[in-house]
Structure formats: structure tokens, C-alpha cells
Amino acid sequence: MSLHELYQEMIVDHSRSPRNFHKLQEKAQNLEGYNPLCGDKFTIYASFKGKKISDLSFEGNGCAISTASASLMTEFMKNKSFDEAESIIAEFQRLVTGGELKGVDLGKLQVFEGVQEFPIRVKCAVLAWHTLRSLLHGERKAVTTE
Amino acid sequence: MMVRKDFPIFNIKVRGKPLVYLDSAATTQKPQVVMDTLNKYYSSQNSNVHRGVHYLSELATKEYEAAREKVQKFIHAKDSREIIFTRGTTESINLVAQTFGRERVQEGDEVLITHMEHHSNIVPWQILCSEKKAHLKIAPINQKGELLIDEFKKLVNPKTKIVGIAHVSNALGTINPIKEIVSFCHDHGVPVLVDGAQAASHLKVDVEALDCDFYTLSGHKIYGPTGIGVLYGKLKHLEKMPPYQGGGDMIKSVTFEKTIYNDVPFKFEAGTPNIAGAIGLGSALDYLSALNMEKVQKYEEELLKYMEEQLLTLPKIKLIGRAEKKAALQSFIVENIHPHDVGTILDQEGVAVRTGHHCAQPVMNFYGVPATVRASLGIYNTKEDISLLVLALKKVFEVLG
Ligand SMILES: Cc1ncc(COP(=O)(O)O)c(C=O)c1O
């Protein structure tokens, strides 16, 4: 178990300079995700076109893992269909909890593999993802990890 | 203090490294004597208390009541009937809010607490205030984390029915001027509950000298077992207060028409209590008394000063909680690095600190941070532990700096 597996360069980079870190204009949906244990709090913004995520961004405050995870998520999930998004979210969850992978392409998201060695940090890694899933399901109540 | 050998936990290795335990404010480690006492109780004294006429029941009752007297002596209460065993500080405060508070506080009245309270000295009062349509008032603090005593005094008025205040803040380490506060409040006819969860293991507590109306303790924060705590209350209050929970032990006689409640303190100890916990707590207090609380206080003061100095030698560290009078802990943040990440990296070095809001979210909001790192001390900590903390913090800069 090594710290450098957890804090990979790409994760540190995205946590320091998060991408898509702003509100979305016009007709965007948004939902807040909150991890009461460590105070991580993000708002995920998404625009939908047909059955597709046409744009995705976020704002908020959290640890390196949760911030990088939200940042990489907004990059990776843009232009994914709802169905694709669902299977990626589920695969990501399996990746960080050490579950059996189903072969869904996670691209750069693989850098989060190290999280499985740090069980108490899983919540940080999945916060943005749970929030996005709730947003896709049309939920309007803030998501918390507790 | 040469006490590490008394604490078997320090024989373990954490991720292959020696344990550097800097989280005693969350819970302290336990000395061998406390474990031995629990073991002895369950292996040769176990029985229910205040019930049987048999040998074991008499023995268990004697030990349980002896523990009550140990607590009485430790906090210098006048009478052992003023000592009620609870599950901990949280239950002690809820007990007072739901009995004393419920009778005293009426619509339009005020309950006064401070900005540095633990959630357990906030929420029970919020519940009471919302039930009674009363108002919860908050006395402010300054940037150093000290209570603004003049502002506090201005908030005491004829509507103030009770004051709740921490003896020592768990998030900032601030020691509040309890004696001054109690004396001022009493001049205005206001009773005071003191949350002593973070104080009693670091300072010599004398409830008679403080003159507070209620004082609370958590056994697990004072080298005793979990699940046991104390509510001290002045006899004159306890005798008038209605019971908290109903059940066995708290009654003298029960018919379906009428129940006569037992005397203090048993009126407040419904059901089979945590007998082993109380006896274990008694042995922890014996252990501390033998070390001498004045010596403990002096030792920890020096160690805290050393920790502050050492932390200040590091770049990018901002100390939170800089009160003139402090006990045994230091909160801090590392610039641009979230406390949670600091905690994970320290943990890999075997260093246990608390990261988060420390059940004191209003304090975090005051400083505009979501969380802090908190290093807290106990009698077993040494300068060596602090050097290892500093080394581990350097590792944080290396990984994320
Ligand atoms: C100042 C303070 N008050 C109350 C509590 C609650 O104590 P317990 O959880 O033992 O009931 C704590 C413990 O975290 C504390 O630090």
C-alpha cells in the first residue's frame, strides 16, 4: 500500500487545478453532494440533450481525492448517453471498492484504483459520482454519504 | 511522565511503525489496571446491583458504590449522592435538558451557550428550545478562540434560564474561565452546566470551588471504559428534578395507580447500569490520582507548548485556537491541503490524529474552514511523539506539497 498509488500525479494535478470548475449557464440542472464526515461539499451541474449528458461542471470544496474525482468525472462523462453513464458509474464504484470489474472502459479514471487500499477514502472518491447518478435519476434532494 | 509501559496499546505496530497516538481528545487509551479491574469484576464479582441478597450482589453493589465515591473525591463534590452514572457527557447533558431544563425553561425564555460548544452541548438545548418555543443564544468568541466574556455577560438577562458551557473546548483547546462565569451567572440567578468532557483528564477539577450547578464527564476520555460517564449535580437541584427515564432501580414502590420514585442518585439511574464501566472508571481515577493531577497538568502544559513551537517551525501550517489558556490539544490546517489528505498521510506514518469538524461545526464555520487537523495529548505522549508528527507532516509536503 503506497501513498503514491493513492496520490497519483494526475490526481494531485486535478485536485490543484480542477477542470470544469464553474457553474453552467441556462437550463442546467444541479444537485449538491455532501460528505458530513469530512465536510466535502460539491454542486454538480449538468445539461442534458435528448438522452445524453451534453455538458457537465462542478463547484465546491473537498479533499484531493474528492476534488480530483469530481474534476475527472466532468471531463469523462461529457457526451455520454444516460445508459453509458450508468454503467460507467457502477464500474467506477467497483474500481474504488475493489469489486470485480465488468470491462467497462474507464480510461484515465483507472488512476483511482489505489483508493481501494484506503477504505475510509472510498466515500471521497464516489461523492461526485453518487451525486451525478441522483441527478440523472431526477432527484432534487441533496445527496449525502452518511 | 513515565507511564507508557502502563498502556499495552503501545506494544502494537501500525503499518509496521510504532503507534504515535495524538487523538486522546476523541478517546484516551486505557492503562492495564483498568483492563485488570474489568477482568476481575467479570471473573469474580459480577452480579446485578441493588437487587439480590446474595454474596455476589452485595459485592457488586459495594464496588459500584465505591466507584461513585471515587468520582465524588476526584471532582471534589460534597456528597456522593450528587454523582449520577450515565453513558457519557452526551447523556448527562440530555438528562439535564430534559428534566431540569424542561421544568425551568418556558415560552420566550432563553438558554445561553457559547460558539465553541461540542454538538452535544448544542443539540439537546435546541431540542428543548424548540419544544418550549424558547430561544438559544450564542455567546461569541474571538479569533484566538477565546470566549468574549463581556459579550457573554451582556447576553445574561432575566429571560436566561440556564447556561451551558464547555470547561475545555474540544476543537480549540480553550480553557474557559468557569469560576468567573458561574459567579456572574449566580449573581443573576442563572444556573450553569459545565461540559467537562475535555477537562477532567487534563486539569484538577473541583466542582465545589467552581460552584457550578452541573458538571459532566465521559469515562472514555479519562482513561476509563466507553459507555460510562458522570453527571454531577447539586443535591438541591437533583432532589427537585423529575426523573429522566422510568424503569427498575429508579423507584421505591410501584402500583398501577402510583409510583414512588427512589432517592437521588438512583432516581436518575433507571435500569441495570453499566456496573463494570463504573468500577472501571473508578480504577482509572485511582490511577490518575496516584499520578497526581497537578503533575499531569504541568507535564501536559509543557508538552503542548513544545508541540505548538514545533508546528510553528513548519511552513504553510496555520494554527487554529490560540487562546492564552489552553489544554492538551492543537488544531491546525495545512495551506492548500485538505485535512483529510493530511490525516491519511499521517496515518501511513503511524501517526493518529483527528481530522474533520470535531463535532463542532459552528467553530469550523467561524474560521471558514470545513475541517481541521487536531493533535491532542494524553499522559503517555512524549516529545518523541511530537518529533514523529513533525516528520510525518514533512511527508505530507513531499507527497502533496
Ligand atoms: C467538549 C465535548 N463535549 C461533549 C462530548 C461528547 O462526549 P461523549 O461522546 O463521550 O458523550 C465530547 C466528545 O467528543 C466533547 O469533546
Side-chain angles (χ1 to χ4, degrees), chain B residues 115-187:
Chain B
H115 202 121
M116 69 175 94
E117 299 309 312
H118 185 279
H119 294 165
S120 71
N121 203 19
I122 303 175
V123 184
W125 304 118
Q126 278 175 332
I127 292 172
L128 175 67
C129 287
S130 85
E131 183 189 315
K132 294 288 186 176
K133 298 200 174 71
H135 308 287
L136 189 61
K137 296 285 173 180
I138 315 298
I141 57 176
N142 64 20
Q143 276 299 321
K144 282 157 98 180
E146 296 163 325
L147 179 67
L148 292 170
I149 190 90
D150 293 336
E151 299 301 314
F152 175 90
K153 289 179 178 174
K154 279 189 220 154
L155 285 165
V156 176
N157 68 65
K159 286 189 179 157
T160 313
K161 288 298 148 73
I162 186 161
V163 163
I165 182 166
H167 196 170
V168 171
S169 152
N170 70 307
L172 300 166
T174 313
I175 304 176
N176 280 313
I178 298 300
K179 227 171 162 167
E180 182 185 352
I181 282 168
V182 171
S183 143
F184 179 85
C185 290
H186 284 179
D187 285 347

Side-chain angles (χ1 to χ4, degrees), chain A:
Chain A
M1 198 188 312
S2 121
L3 282 171
H4 293 283
E5 272 163 42
L6 180 66
Y7 294 109
Q8 300 228 10
E9 227 169 281
M10 192 188 298
I11 292 180
V12 175
D13 172 44
H14 275 255
S15 75
R16 286 219 194 102
S17 28
R19 321 295 199 266
N20 304 308
F21 194 65
H22 49 74
K23 285 192 178 60
L24 276 191
Q25 310 298 328
E26 289 172 50
K27 286 200 236 159
Q29 316 261 13
N30 68 76
L31 191 64
E32 188 174 272
Y34 179 45
N35 178 348
L37 198 68
C38 35
D40 295 343
K41 202 180 245 177
F42 292 109
T43 303
I44 308 289
Y45 299 89
S47 308
F48 303 123
K49 212 176 250 163
K51 286 206 170 290
K52 239 173 142 179
I53 302 169
S54 55
D55 206 356
L56 201 56
S57 72
F58 80 111
E59 275 187 330
N61 217 310
C63 64
I65 305 297
S66 60
T67 307
S69 173
S71 171
L72 279 150
M73 178 186 85
T74 57
E75 282 192 342
F76 195 78
M77 300 298 267
K78 225 177 268 186
N79 296 319
K80 294 284 189 285
S81 74
F82 289 1
D83 286 348
E84 284 169 325
E86 290 287 352
S87 64
I88 293 165
I89 293 169
E91 187 80 343
F92 183 80
Q93 170 90 25
R94 291 189 284 270
L95 176 79
V96 296
T97 53
E100 202 177 316
L101 297 181
K102 302 230 163 116
V104 180
D105 181 15
L106 290 178
K108 323 195 234 190
L109 297 172
Q110 292 288 353
V111 293
F112 288 98
E113 195 179 359
V115 173
Q116 58 182 267
E117 303 290 343
F118 295 81
I120 44 173
R121 303 307 299 273
V122 169
K123 277 183 188 163
C124 310
V126 298
L127 178 60
W129 297 82
H130 283 183
T131 311
L132 176 63
R133 177 156 58 192
S134 298
L135 201 54
L136 292 175
H137 293 181
E139 285 168 32
R140 292 295 167 263
K141 241 180 80 195
V143 175
T144 87
T145 55
E146 292 300 293

Side-chain angles (χ1 to χ4, degrees), chain B residues 25-26 87-91 93 117-121 166 168-170 195-198 216-221 354 358-359 374:
Chain B
R87 278 196 301 127
T89 291
T90 302
E91 190 177 48
I93 298 175
E117 299 309 312
H118 185 279
H119 294 165
S120 71
N121 203 19
V168 171
S169 152
N170 70 307
D195 170 355
Q198 292 296 342
T216 67
L217 292 186
S218 291
H220 70 100
K221 292 188 199 282
R354 172 82 193 268
H358 317 297
C359 296
R374 179 186 70 188

Side-chain angles (χ1 to χ4, degrees), chain B residues 299-314:
Chain B
Y299 177 77
E300 290 182 348
E301 264 168 20
E302 277 168 25
L303 202 57
L304 177 64
K305 218 165 139 229
Y306 182 72
M307 181 159 76
E308 285 171 359
E309 283 164 13
Q310 289 299 303
L311 287 172
L312 285 169
T313 63
L314 296 168

